[in-house]
Amino acid sequence: MSFPPIRPELAGIEPYGAPQLPLDVAPVQLNVNENPYGPSPACIADIATAAAEAAVTLNRYPDREFTALRAALADYLSKDAPVTPDMVWAANGSNEVMLQLLQAFGGPGRTVLSFAPTYSMYPEYARDTHTEWVAGTREDDFSLDLDKARALVDEIRPSVVLLPSPNNPTGTALPPVAVGLLCEAVGDNGIVVVDEAYGEFRRAGVPSALESLATHRNLVVTRTMSKAFAGAGLRLGYLAAHPAITDAIRVVRLPYHLSAVTQAVALAALRHAPELLDKVDDLRAERDRTVDWLREQGHEVADSDANYVLFGGFADRHAVWQGLLDRGVLIREVGPDGWLRVSIGTAAEMDAFKNALTEVTA
Ligand SMILES: *Cc1c(COP(=O)(O)O)cnc(C)c1O
């Protein structure tokens, strides 16, 4: 036996994660879909006060049901569809929310179904919860063929269907008809999780899966404060679902999993929601300009409802990625072979990206 005596299927596996490079190596960081705009001075001050207030009672465990935060999140989601606090659950990032979903609804003898290309963390939740992972495939334009999707659900009988909308890394949103069809095909045998980490960036007229909650009791919609809310460092993800589903997650959560500081800071940030989300429209416009520009340059570009763009047609994508990095621009080598993903930054950062790409592909 080699040391350490880790589970055999984990031996030698590299931990997941995009390269985190220092700013002097890569001053333009467009690789993990962060919001390039930080909180305002007023928001920072409110967060500092909230953290200081939480510190006064740090000798006590926090409210394990995070009652005030659930109410604030329900209130925020209710601009898309009616959501009550008992439909809301939160954890340290939506990655933890989804892991908890697999802990409660996956497990040995059960299967989680997704459609590739998709978020590279999903197979890891499956592995870590001993759930079988099955990935169908998307069409050439990265949409789902609904007949094929239904046939696969009928064949696999998944306990969990896990789909990002907009999809990462392609930016493709899932139409409501697809959400409804999958929920019906899965029925009471499982849950359908629509991961709306980038939901706030969707183009005008593209609905949120939140609108389907009232008609499908097996639907779960996850969101995060990491992207549109400019709170990646906060680690706060959440979901909306039928109260029986949120209730079931309470069985697998660790005691007091959301710290008092996290709860207080998330509440303070939510009080500034309009101003934090203020930059979302600018980022959407910058995204659309980036799509147009890349197409003008003759690249293949996937339509995007997110704050990133997948573009391709490269015989050697690693050389392009490296060429950009040599010019101080860090993007992500992810997705099908020949494609790269760039996150949308400030106008100045996108200019740096465009100049570097022009040089590299000249
Ligand atoms: C970024 C991202 C998340 C959010 O992760 P957090 O843990 O909330 O930071 C979830 N799903 C997808 C597909 C993502 O790209």
Side-chain angles (χ1 to χ4, degrees), residues 32-33 92-96 98 118-119 122 125 164 166-168 195-198 222-227 231-232 235-238 308 341:
V32 286
N33 303 337
N92 300 282
S94 55
N95 271 279
E96 186 177 76
M98 289 184 280
T118 194
Y119 189 36
Y122 294 164
Y125 315 147
N167 185 38
N168 185 1
D195 173 2
E196 289 195 348
Y198 304 95
T222 62
R223 291 275 183 104
T224 181
M225 293 184 75
S226 294
K227 311 289 166 49
R235 308 309 297 132
L236 200 285
Y238 55 103
Y308 49 84
R341 191 193 70 195

Side-chain angles (χ1 to χ4, degrees), residues 84-230:
T84 49
D86 60 349
M87 296 167 68
V88 173
W89 181 256
N92 300 282
S94 55
N95 271 279
E96 186 177 76
V97 170
M98 289 184 280
L99 180 66
Q100 291 173 333
L101 283 167
L102 282 221
Q103 287 176 321
F105 295 95
R110 293 185 163 208
T111 301
V112 52
L113 173 66
S114 192
F115 294 85
T118 194
Y119 189 36
S120 25
M121 275 307 297
Y122 294 164
E124 304 211 3
Y125 315 147
R127 177 198 70 201
D128 294 349
T129 58
H130 305 271
T131 312
E132 191 182 342
W133 166 254
V134 175
T137 50
R138 290 170 178 265
E139 302 303 291
D140 287 344
D141 65 355
F142 305 124
S143 66
L144 282 191
D145 178 308
L146 296 190
D147 292 333
K148 282 197 228 162
R150 182 201 293 270
L152 197 55
V153 168
D154 290 345
E155 181 196 330
I156 304 289
R157 309 248 104 231
S159 298
V160 180
V161 176
L162 197 41
L163 280 166
S165 177
N167 185 38
N168 185 1
T170 66
T172 322
L174 204 60
V177 51
V179 175
L181 177 137
L182 286 165
C183 287
E184 270 159 35
V186 169
D188 280 347
N189 294 320
I191 58 171
V192 174
V193 181
V194 179
D195 173 2
E196 289 195 348
Y198 304 95
E200 287 93 344
F201 293 104
R202 61 195 194 276
R203 286 172 293 181
V206 176
S208 163
L210 289 168
E211 293 174 26
S212 304
L213 279 176
T215 28
H216 300 287
R217 67 177 178 182
N218 61 346
L219 174 63
V220 178
V221 182
T222 62
R223 291 275 183 104
T224 181
M225 293 184 75
S226 294
K227 311 289 166 49
F229 262 103

Side-chain angles (χ1 to χ4, degrees), residues 157-316:
R157 309 248 104 231
S159 298
V160 180
V161 176
L162 197 41
L163 280 166
S165 177
N167 185 38
N168 185 1
T170 66
T172 322
L174 204 60
V177 51
V179 175
L181 177 137
L182 286 165
C183 287
E184 270 159 35
V186 169
D188 280 347
N189 294 320
I191 58 171
V192 174
V193 181
V194 179
D195 173 2
E196 289 195 348
Y198 304 95
E200 287 93 344
F201 293 104
R202 61 195 194 276
R203 286 172 293 181
V206 176
S208 163
L210 289 168
E211 293 174 26
S212 304
L213 279 176
T215 28
H216 300 287
R217 67 177 178 182
N218 61 346
L219 174 63
V220 178
V221 182
T222 62
R223 291 275 183 104
T224 181
M225 293 184 75
S226 294
K227 311 289 166 49
F229 262 103
L234 168 61
R235 308 309 297 132
L236 200 285
Y238 55 103
L239 63 72
H242 190 284
I245 292 181
T246 56
D247 220 35
I249 303 171
R250 293 167 62 236
V251 178
V252 299
R253 63 106 192 274
L254 294 173
Y256 315 106
H257 69 292
L258 272 185
S259 85
V261 175
T262 300
Q263 295 184 39
V265 171
L267 269 168
L270 280 165
R271 285 195 290 274
H272 291 266
E275 127 208 354
L276 286 168
L277 294 166
D278 192 39
K279 291 291 195 290
V280 166
D281 283 344
D282 291 351
L283 289 165
R284 291 158 84 220
E286 195 64 49
R287 179 229 15 237
D288 293 341
R289 278 195 292 277
T290 304
V291 168
D292 292 345
W293 181 84
L294 285 164
R295 285 193 175 133
E296 282 160 21
Q297 308 309 302
H299 301 297
E300 277 182 76
V301 186
D303 286 334
S304 177
D305 278 291
N307 67 336
Y308 49 84
V309 178
L310 190 74
F311 62 105
F314 301 112
D316 183 355

